[in-house]
mmCIF file of all heavy atoms in Angstrom:
data_model
loop_
_atom_site.group_PDB
_atom_site.id
_atom_site.type_symbol
_atom_site.label_atom_id
_atom_site.label_comp_id
_atom_site.label_asym_id
_atom_site.label_seq_id
_atom_site.Cartn_x
_atom_site.Cartn_y
_atom_site.Cartn_z
ATOM 1 N N LYS A 86 14.335 18.007 1.585
ATOM 2 C CA LYS A 86 15.547 18.777 1.891
ATOM 3 C C LYS A 86 16.727 18.389 0.988
ATOM 4 O O LYS A 86 17.613 19.183 0.748
ATOM 5 C CB LYS A 86 15.926 18.570 3.350
ATOM 6 C CG LYS A 86 14.902 19.130 4.310
ATOM 7 C CD LYS A 86 15.228 18.760 5.744
ATOM 8 C CE LYS A 86 14.103 19.225 6.637
ATOM 9 N NZ LYS A 86 13.613 18.201 7.515
ATOM 10 N N ILE A 87 16.716 17.155 0.486
ATOM 11 C CA ILE A 87 17.853 16.690 -0.307
ATOM 12 C C ILE A 87 17.486 16.306 -1.741
ATOM 13 O O ILE A 87 18.373 16.054 -2.552
ATOM 14 C CB ILE A 87 18.537 15.479 0.371
ATOM 15 C CG1 ILE A 87 17.559 14.313 0.493
ATOM 16 C CG2 ILE A 87 19.134 15.863 1.703
ATOM 17 C CD1 ILE A 87 18.195 13.001 0.875
ATOM 18 N N ALA A 88 16.190 16.246 -2.054
ATOM 19 C CA ALA A 88 15.783 15.774 -3.378
ATOM 20 C C ALA A 88 14.421 16.348 -3.750
ATOM 21 O O ALA A 88 13.732 16.935 -2.923
ATOM 22 C CB ALA A 88 15.724 14.256 -3.383
ATOM 23 N N ILE A 89 14.050 16.133 -5.010
ATOM 24 C CA ILE A 89 12.737 16.533 -5.500
ATOM 25 C C ILE A 89 11.936 15.261 -5.757
ATOM 26 O O ILE A 89 12.239 14.519 -6.702
ATOM 27 C CB ILE A 89 12.851 17.352 -6.804
ATOM 28 C CG1 ILE A 89 13.697 18.602 -6.584
ATOM 29 C CG2 ILE A 89 11.465 17.715 -7.332
ATOM 30 C CD1 ILE A 89 14.124 19.271 -7.876
ATOM 31 N N ILE A 99 12.689 10.060 -7.563
ATOM 32 C CA ILE A 99 13.406 10.988 -6.706
ATOM 33 C C ILE A 99 14.502 11.621 -7.547
ATOM 34 O O ILE A 99 15.379 10.928 -8.069
ATOM 35 C CB ILE A 99 13.991 10.280 -5.472
ATOM 36 C CG1 ILE A 99 12.863 9.667 -4.648
ATOM 37 C CG2 ILE A 99 14.802 11.249 -4.631
ATOM 38 C CD1 ILE A 99 13.326 8.805 -3.511
ATOM 39 N N ILE A 100 14.433 12.941 -7.698
ATOM 40 C CA ILE A 100 15.400 13.670 -8.525
ATOM 41 C C ILE A 100 16.392 14.361 -7.604
ATOM 42 O O ILE A 100 16.009 15.158 -6.745
ATOM 43 C CB ILE A 100 14.672 14.700 -9.410
ATOM 44 C CG1 ILE A 100 13.657 13.974 -10.304
ATOM 45 C CG2 ILE A 100 15.677 15.496 -10.239
ATOM 46 C CD1 ILE A 100 12.686 14.889 -10.994
ATOM 47 N N ILE A 101 17.662 14.049 -7.795
ATOM 48 C CA ILE A 101 18.725 14.643 -6.982
ATOM 49 C C ILE A 101 19.672 15.363 -7.934
ATOM 50 O O ILE A 101 20.165 14.772 -8.883
ATOM 51 C CB ILE A 101 19.478 13.577 -6.177
ATOM 52 C CG1 ILE A 101 18.515 12.823 -5.263
ATOM 53 C CG2 ILE A 101 20.601 14.205 -5.370
ATOM 54 C CD1 ILE A 101 19.128 11.639 -4.562
ATOM 55 N N THR A 102 19.917 16.633 -7.659
ATOM 56 C CA THR A 102 20.837 17.419 -8.489
ATOM 57 C C THR A 102 21.768 18.225 -7.593
ATOM 58 O O THR A 102 21.473 18.467 -6.423
ATOM 59 C CB THR A 102 20.073 18.398 -9.403
ATOM 60 O OG1 THR A 102 19.344 19.306 -8.588
ATOM 61 C CG2 THR A 102 19.136 17.675 -10.337
ATOM 62 N N HIS A 103 22.878 18.614 -8.175
ATOM 63 C CA HIS A 103 23.806 19.483 -7.464
ATOM 64 C C HIS A 103 24.711 20.139 -8.495
ATOM 65 O O HIS A 103 25.092 19.514 -9.483
ATOM 66 C CB HIS A 103 24.635 18.700 -6.442
ATOM 67 C CG HIS A 103 25.206 19.575 -5.374
ATOM 68 N ND1 HIS A 103 26.281 20.418 -5.596
ATOM 69 C CD2 HIS A 103 24.868 19.747 -4.088
ATOM 70 C CE1 HIS A 103 26.568 21.060 -4.484
ATOM 71 N NE2 HIS A 103 25.719 20.666 -3.548
ATOM 72 N N THR A 104 25.064 21.400 -8.267
ATOM 73 C CA THR A 104 25.933 22.103 -9.213
ATOM 74 C C THR A 104 27.385 21.662 -9.112
ATOM 75 O O THR A 104 28.141 21.784 -10.063
ATOM 76 C CB THR A 104 25.836 23.615 -8.992
ATOM 77 O OG1 THR A 104 26.136 23.907 -7.632
ATOM 78 C CG2 THR A 104 24.456 24.131 -9.335
ATOM 79 N N ASN A 105 27.789 21.168 -7.967
ATOM 80 C CA ASN A 105 29.168 20.720 -7.764
ATOM 81 C C ASN A 105 29.230 19.191 -7.859
ATOM 82 O O ASN A 105 28.731 18.485 -6.982
ATOM 83 C CB ASN A 105 29.656 21.168 -6.384
ATOM 84 C CG ASN A 105 31.105 20.847 -6.148
ATOM 85 O OD1 ASN A 105 31.673 19.965 -6.787
ATOM 86 N ND2 ASN A 105 31.712 21.568 -5.224
ATOM 87 N N PRO A 106 29.870 18.664 -8.907
ATOM 88 C CA PRO A 106 29.937 17.200 -9.088
ATOM 89 C C PRO A 106 30.625 16.476 -7.939
ATOM 90 O O PRO A 106 30.284 15.341 -7.627
ATOM 91 C CB PRO A 106 30.718 17.012 -10.392
ATOM 92 C CG PRO A 106 30.791 18.354 -11.029
ATOM 93 C CD PRO A 106 30.511 19.381 -9.984
ATOM 94 N N GLU A 107 31.590 17.139 -7.290
ATOM 95 C CA GLU A 107 32.295 16.483 -6.189
ATOM 96 C C GLU A 107 31.387 16.327 -4.970
ATOM 97 O O GLU A 107 31.446 15.307 -4.284
ATOM 98 C CB GLU A 107 33.556 17.279 -5.848
ATOM 99 C CG GLU A 107 34.614 17.184 -6.925
ATOM 100 C CD GLU A 107 35.851 18.014 -6.601
ATOM 101 O OE1 GLU A 107 36.028 18.402 -5.436
ATOM 102 O OE2 GLU A 107 36.629 18.271 -7.537
ATOM 103 N N GLU A 108 30.572 17.296 -4.699
ATOM 104 C CA GLU A 108 29.631 17.194 -3.582
ATOM 105 C C GLU A 108 28.470 16.273 -3.902
ATOM 106 O O GLU A 108 27.923 15.619 -3.035
ATOM 107 C CB GLU A 108 29.103 18.580 -3.205
ATOM 108 C CG GLU A 108 30.113 19.431 -2.476
ATOM 109 C CD GLU A 108 29.493 20.719 -1.968
ATOM 110 O OE1 GLU A 108 28.333 20.711 -1.527
ATOM 111 O OE2 GLU A 108 30.198 21.756 -2.024
ATOM 112 N N PHE A 109 28.118 16.223 -5.193
ATOM 113 C CA PHE A 109 27.028 15.367 -5.620
ATOM 114 C C PHE A 109 27.365 13.917 -5.330
ATOM 115 O O PHE A 109 26.637 13.149 -4.815
ATOM 116 C CB PHE A 109 26.743 15.579 -7.110
ATOM 117 C CG PHE A 109 25.611 14.730 -7.617
ATOM 118 C CD1 PHE A 109 24.308 15.052 -7.307
ATOM 119 C CD2 PHE A 109 25.844 13.639 -8.426
ATOM 120 C CE1 PHE A 109 23.261 14.284 -7.783
ATOM 121 C CE2 PHE A 109 24.807 12.864 -8.899
ATOM 122 C CZ PHE A 109 23.502 13.198 -8.580
#
Side-chain angles (χ1 to χ4, degrees):
K86 295 173 186 129
I87 61 168
I89 301 166
I99 299 173
I100 301 168
I101 301 173
T102 62
H103 201 285
T104 55
N105 185 338
E107 290 178 17
E108 286 187 38
F109 181 75

